């Protein structure tokens, strides 16, 4: 059985997914694609090489008379793959697309934090009602399949707490400040030059991005009903070089650590002084997560927290997990 | 829908599973249980508290006229949970039980390395033919859900190599030799006293246990067809204190590292000198695995490599994954 995908978003992640579908034998075809200005549909599967060439040459993937909304509503697909940029405040238009697809009885995979952080319970209920899957592994910790692990592989465990480095940009800045004795501003500039930080880095350095991931974890893993306002957030933008120096003098360093203790409704993100040999002291743009469980004990996961191929990996993992569910496993 | 389990084995892992089924609301009942001398069956679900009391008081769980074979062949169940001790040479009687259950159209979950290392392809084919699942997460790396992660969560990735600490007993011995300057014999005696090593530790210290895990990984993740003879194995039993001292003088230490490079058919287990800050230098009885992938990059997993609750966690993860597959996900 071939599974048909409709893809919204043809940025670096989208192109990574298209390459993987074209080059790996995954039992998938792409029947519709939209970028911000155009779209294309072929019920038998689009020619992906032509599509990527067109996108590279003329900047759009298809016909300007076809848009994302039309694709969501009318194209033939089994899974909507929604990978448009995150709008953290309203989650639109992604949330509307996702709802529409779920109502049509199609599965949805997204890398978009907005809809999950803002409307998870509504979207999950809608998916359940329509007997389809709603998955969003790419929204937390990049390439680390932490959501599938906590929701499925460790099923049966009580997840008692979670601690982690959830933002690669901040971790890169802190690593470079410590290693090379850079000032915050110097490290931030370097992160920008290397493409780890956006032109406006506020979202990362003030801790908003990592806090949104805590919201997603809290609401999906522990079925809480929290929003960004419920997270106690301190970013790294006010951190002084002196604080880092003091930590280093004690064979410690500083990392931006997110923390969830569900029993006590603790949702906290702040810079922490931690010993250098602690497993959460990862270098560069890595993410790291420790979970404490009742049966499996403590588990540590480390991997790349961002990047287009890494995000594509998470999206494809979700797609294949739905494909396998539909096929009855094995 | 309640899922019915038949459980073969009432050691510490079995009792952990029984406790979890009794105390957590997992949608599971246990309809049959066998230990080495007795068995019991109740199509409506056994009284688990009574069963555990009986096992503790009189040493057997049921009726001596009922044995494992009878349960496998005639009891009503959806999943056979096979957690009898490993027989690494022949894999019996576990392999026969597993085949019988698969032929009956029942899923199988096992923690038993013998059947998987020796007969994976035959058992997998039999499961496929009968449209049921065959799962064995507990056979590798204890509480770390590495098989589900590699087979499912990272689906779509090419797994290019794997390196890891796969035997907690050896890691404990090496840790103590380095930390406390113990001799190999002193550290081994300590591991025995603490229950980390068996009275006959050959299986662990000569590397057989870790090598069997490499065979399981090679055959299941990469669909290879290798046996224990194909693994280049060096244990830690001939390691001298001097070798460790030399490593320590260079801010390094020694760990027993398993390695798979599938493209080159490299399957190797040997003590390696590695820098102390390397992520595979985990302490005590922990396991640690690094996988290199084409999309997700490098990922590190660390967790407890053995223990009855940890093994129970892996078995229950498999059971719930089958339950979720049968229910169509979510």
């Amino acid at each position: 059985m071939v599974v048909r995908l409709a893809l919204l978003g043809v940025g670096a992640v989208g192109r990574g997914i298209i390459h993987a579908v074209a080059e790996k034998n995954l039992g998938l075809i792409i029947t519709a694609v939209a970028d911000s200005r155009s779209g294309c549909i072929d019920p038998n599967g689009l020619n992906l090489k032509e599509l990527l060439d067109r996108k590279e040459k003329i900047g759009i993937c298809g016909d300007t008379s076809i848009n994302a909304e039309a694709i969501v509503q009318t194209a033939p697909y089994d899974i909507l793959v929604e990978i448009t940029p995150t709008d953290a405040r309203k989650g639109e238009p992604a949330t509307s697309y996702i709802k529409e697809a779920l109502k049509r009885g199609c599965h949805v995979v997204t890398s978009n934090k907005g809809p999950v952080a803002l409307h998870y319970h509504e979207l999950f209920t809608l998916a359940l009602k329509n007997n389809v899957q709603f998955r969003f592994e790419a929204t937390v910790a990049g390439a680390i399949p932490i959501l599938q692990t906590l929701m499925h592989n460790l099923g049966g465990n009580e997840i008692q707490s979670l601690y982690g480095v959830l933002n690669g940009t901040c971790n890169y800045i802190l690593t470079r400040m410590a290693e090379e004795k850079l000032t915050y501003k110097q490290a931030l500039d370097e992160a920008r030059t290397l493409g780890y930080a956006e032109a406006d880095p506020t979202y990362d350095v003030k801790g908003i991005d990592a806090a949104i991931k805590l919201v997603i974890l809290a609401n999906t893993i522990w079925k809480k009903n929290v929003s960004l306002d419920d997270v106690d957030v301190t970013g790294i933008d006010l951190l002084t070089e002196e604080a880092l120096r003091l930590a280093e003098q004690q064979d410690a360093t500083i990392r931006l650590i997110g923390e969830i203790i569900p029993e006590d409704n603790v949702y906290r993100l702040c810079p922490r002084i931690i010993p250098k040999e602690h497993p959460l002291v990862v270098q560069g743009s890595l993410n790291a997560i420790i979970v404490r469980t009742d049966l499996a004990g403590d588990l540590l996961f480390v991997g790349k927290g961002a990047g287009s191929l890494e995000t594509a990996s998470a999206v494809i993992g979700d797609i294949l997990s739905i494909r396998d569910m539909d096929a009855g496993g094995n």
Side-chain angles (χ1 to χ4, degrees), chain A:
Chain A
M1 193 187 69
V2 169
V3 174
R4 300 165 302 168
L5 312 179
L7 186 67
L8 306 186
V10 196
V13 176
R15 290 196 298 276
I17 294 168
I18 292 171
H19 273 293
V21 171
E23 289 154 27
K24 297 180 178 223
N25 186 18
L26 303 175
L28 306 171
I29 60 171
I30 301 181
T31 51
V33 171
D35 55 28
S36 57
R37 294 188 290 143
S38 74
C40 49
I41 302 176
D42 184 336
N44 298 314
L46 292 159
N47 183 321
L48 299 176
K49 195 182 166 307
E50 276 178 27
L51 187 150
L52 288 169
D53 283 352
R54 200 159 56 233
K55 180 78 184 171
E56 196 183 334
K57 278 182 196 146
I58 61 169
I60 62 175
C61 71
D63 187 328
T64 53
S65 69
I66 301 175
N67 61 19
E69 201 172 346
I71 282 176
V72 172
Q73 288 174 355
T74 67
Y77 59 87
D78 304 301
I79 305 178
L80 180 71
V81 181
E82 200 289 314
I83 46 170
T84 62
T86 287
D87 163 18
R89 274 170 316 169
K90 295 199 170 168
E92 288 296 352
T95 304
S96 299
Y97 296 152
I98 293 171
K99 280 188 194 169
E100 190 67 31
L102 295 173
K103 282 180 193 158
R104 279 187 71 186
C106 298
H107 307 289
V108 173
V109 173
T110 187
S111 62
N112 199 315
K113 296 179 195 73
V116 190
L118 295 166
H119 308 292
Y120 171 66
H121 294 294
E122 184 186 353
L123 296 172
F124 177 73
T125 305
L126 196 56
L128 212 54
K129 192 176 144 196
N130 289 281
N131 199 26
V132 291
Q133 299 270 318
F134 173 49
R135 291 189 174 244
F136 38 85
E137 182 65 72
T139 60
V140 179
I144 307 172
I146 190 69
L147 295 175
Q148 288 213 37
T149 300
L150 296 181
M151 282 201 262
H152 299 285
N153 309 3
L154 296 175
N157 277 274
E158 183 194 342
I159 313 292
Q160 297 164 331
S161 62
L162 178 149
Y163 299 86
V165 171
L166 297 167
N167 182 280
T169 307
C170 292
N171 204 68
Y172 182 84
I173 292 170
L174 294 172
T175 302
R176 296 295 292 166
M177 286 174 73
E179 268 176 6
E180 304 293 333
K181 306 205 189 309
L182 303 183
T183 64
Y184 169 72
K185 196 181 165 312
Q186 286 169 327
L188 175 57
D189 285 345
E190 190 182 88
R192 271 199 191 118
T193 307
L194 291 169
Y196 291 144
E198 306 289 326
D200 174 8
T202 316
Y203 189 69
D204 287 318
V205 297
K206 285 195 177 296
I208 311 299
D209 173 73
I212 288 174
K213 291 168 182 165
L214 291 179
V215 170
I216 292 174
L217 285 162
N219 290 352
T220 61
I221 304 301
W222 291 279
K223 309 294 178 202
K224 298 282 182 177
N225 195 4
V226 303
S227 71
L228 201 47
D229 292 340
D230 299 309
V231 184
D232 188 356
V233 182
T234 311
I236 62 162
D237 52 326
L238 301 177
L239 192 74
T240 62
E241 291 83 54
E242 287 67 32
L244 201 49
R245 263 353 121 242
L246 279 170
E248 296 274 324
Q249 282 167 18
Q250 298 161 55
D251 210 27
T253 191
I254 295 180
R255 286 294 182 268
L256 182 63
I257 304 292
E259 176 184 7
I260 299 179
I261 308 172
E263 200 185 20
D264 303 331
N265 291 309
V266 169
Y267 315 104
R268 186 160 41 203
L269 180 86
C270 60
R272 295 269 184 107
I273 298 175
I274 38 180
K276 277 192 179 162
E277 72 272 19
H278 192 281
L280 290 183
V281 180
V282 288
Q283 305 299 310
S285 63
L286 287 172
N287 281 14
I289 297 174
I290 292 175
V291 293
R292 178 153 292 175
T293 72
D294 61 339
L295 302 176
D298 284 6
L299 290 159
L300 166 71
F301 306 89
V302 179
K304 291 188 184 161
S308 52
L309 278 184
E310 291 78 2
T311 307
S313 167
V315 171
I316 292 166
D318 278 345
I319 292 168
L320 295 183
S321 143
I322 293 171
R323 178 201 66 181
D324 293 346
M325 285 273 184
D326 276 359
N330 270 309

